[in-house]
Amino acid sequence: MVSVSHPTSSGLERDARRIHEDDKPLSPGSIAIGVVIGRTSEFFDFFVYGLGSILVFPKLIFPFASNAVTATLMSFALFPLAFLARPVGSFVFMWIDRNYGRGTKLTIALVILGGSTASIAFLPGYETIGYWAVALLALFRLGQGFALGGAWDGLASLLNLNAPPNHRGWYAMIPQLGAPIGFALASIIFCYFVANLSEEDFLSWGWRYPFFVAFAINVVALFARLRIVASKEFGAAMEAQELQARPVFEMLSKHALDVVLGAFVPLASFAMFHLVTIFPLSWVILNGGQSAARFLLVQVAGAAVCAIGIVVSGLIADRVGRRNELMFGATLIAIFSFSAPFLLDAGGAGQDAYILIGFAVLGLTFGQASGAVSSRFTKYYRYTGAALTSDLAWLVGAAFAPLVALGLATSFGIIFIGGYLISGAICTIVALSLTRALDQQ
């Protein structure tokens, strides 16, 4: 019987490692740069969509809604589709990884991710093609999430494996810097067009440029990632079975409880995530207080504060431990939840304070949220387990946050977003307590 082989990038990756075998070792700093570029591209795609779901889609795709609040809620109803598609993408791309290689998987995933985002730039409005505009936007949003499931490259794990034992918290925070950088880039580009174009020109063509940029950023990120995948350090981790893709259901048969706990540990941080980035912009536009352009600049300043908070989280975690740092962060979010509604409803000054304080708290919690319980996975299943855990954590904690927060705030009052935040903090504290109890058994 003749075996049929299929093309795979694994052989090319091994050849590249042999070519560079005599090169000096890839430093943790070089790995960190590749990780940050990769994460920045992912978050940029998602934040471009998130900002578009407030500034563009309610008027372009949902003009048939009875009022602006309903149009924004309809727009936010499509927002979770990417997070629903992400676990499906992980499942499919894990199979591609095993059969065709990590390089093939990343190339396909990032082309789909950038392509889905860039395709939105060509989307006609409802006035041109009717409900097909809604269907196409939903399709491209699903494409973003499906591709992001395949963009899990293991580089953050490689960074952690190469980190000094007493600086794990510091190296764990580095990939998280991609979030504020990606958000700041998306906000600056949108702010430029909102501030310098008439509303008619912005809705006609100006909003499309940020979506074009996404594809170029993804190309840069792809080459940055492939460079590290082709390194001998990555090859050594693969040969040690520490970054190998395993069948999802096989992993769940061994680590289902760890996946569930891992999904709830960062819930406070992920619930907070879209309540300082996406939701407040929608609230300001719908209820006033300041212009969209000015508020976007305040959010850019908030992103800078968030980056500082992420760096500080690494310093704290190396002193007190990642679990204690996360517990501290969840407590801060619980405290913030009592003042957040009043700040957001207190006019321009209060809204600015909400953003700056909220981003500071987010940085301190988000900095250590990724892979906080990955040590509970055996190294054989760690790559797959960490990927699926991240997918579920984002789905549970962040996917529905803008929709739920705006729905609660407009139907029952802004005070209810405080309850949403504190529920996330409670879930994180309980999950961390359970992991500590299990580790002590």
Side-chain angles (χ1 to χ4, degrees), residues 92-173:
V92 172
F93 280 103
M94 287 293 173
W95 179 86
I96 293 174
D97 194 330
R98 293 194 304 274
N99 289 276
Y100 295 93
R102 185 68 48 87
T104 300
K105 167 193 158 178
L106 289 175
T107 301
I108 295 173
L110 291 182
V111 168
I112 294 176
L113 178 59
S116 296
T117 308
S119 294
I120 297 174
F122 298 95
L123 189 66
Y126 174 83
E127 301 295 345
T128 304
I129 59 172
Y131 288 106
W132 281 108
V134 180
L136 286 173
L137 182 60
L139 177 64
F140 296 143
R141 182 60 172 165
L142 286 168
Q144 280 188 316
F146 178 78
L148 191 59
W152 189 265
D153 47 27
L155 298 188
S157 297
L158 180 66
L159 181 62
N160 185 59
L161 291 170
N162 284 271
N166 58 334
H167 292 294
R168 292 288 169 84
W170 176 262
Y171 283 91
M173 70 83 187

Side-chain angles (χ1 to χ4, degrees), residues 287-349:
N287 294 279
Q290 53 190 298
S291 68
R294 184 188 180 281
F295 192 70
L296 282 169
L297 289 178
V298 174
Q299 289 193 295
V300 172
V305 173
C306 180
I308 295 171
I310 289 173
V311 172
V312 172
S313 79
L315 298 172
I316 296 174
D318 283 335
R319 287 182 174 272
V320 304
R322 295 184 68 189
R323 184 183 283 137
N324 289 331
E325 202 279 339
L326 283 168
M327 193 76 78
F328 169 70
T331 304
L332 284 180
I333 289 177
I335 295 171
F336 177 72
S337 68
F338 290 101
S339 61
F342 302 102
L343 290 173
L344 198 55
D345 205 30

Side-chain angles (χ1 to χ4, degrees), residues 115-300:
S116 296
T117 308
S119 294
I120 297 174
F122 298 95
L123 189 66
Y126 174 83
E127 301 295 345
T128 304
I129 59 172
Y131 288 106
W132 281 108
V134 180
L136 286 173
L137 182 60
L139 177 64
F140 296 143
R141 182 60 172 165
L142 286 168
Q144 280 188 316
F146 178 78
L148 191 59
W152 189 265
D153 47 27
L155 298 188
S157 297
L158 180 66
L159 181 62
N160 185 59
L161 291 170
N162 284 271
N166 58 334
H167 292 294
R168 292 288 169 84
W170 176 262
Y171 283 91
M173 70 83 187
I174 291 175
Q176 306 299 81
L177 290 170
I181 295 173
F183 177 71
L185 288 175
S187 298
I188 289 169
I189 296 174
F190 265 110
C191 179
Y192 174 81
F193 287 105
V194 169
N196 291 284
L197 295 178
S198 66
E199 183 178 13
E200 182 181 357
D201 284 341
F202 175 75
L203 291 175
S204 174
W205 56 269
W207 71 271
R208 302 179 188 273
Y209 279 85
F211 289 87
F212 284 131
V213 172
F215 193 84
I217 291 179
N218 275 279
V219 171
V220 174
L222 174 61
F223 283 104
R225 289 175 167 189
L226 291 179
R227 175 178 173 267
I228 299 176
V229 168
S231 69
K232 58 186 178 183
E233 288 78 11
F234 193 93
M238 290 285 283
E239 290 170 8
Q241 311 252 328
E242 293 178 325
L243 294 178
Q244 294 278 10
R246 306 297 174 193
V248 172
F249 291 115
E250 179 185 326
M251 180 276 297
L252 288 174
S253 69
K254 307 288 185 182
H255 292 286
L257 178 60
D258 298 321
V259 170
V260 173
L261 287 175
F264 280 91
V265 161
L267 198 64
S269 176
F270 287 3
M272 182 87 167
F273 194 82
H274 285 137
L275 290 188
V276 296
T277 54
I278 304 302
F279 166 71
L281 179 60
S282 70
W283 184 259
V284 166
I285 288 177
L286 292 170
N287 294 279
Q290 53 190 298
S291 68
R294 184 188 180 281
F295 192 70
L296 282 169
L297 289 178
V298 174
Q299 289 193 295
V300 172

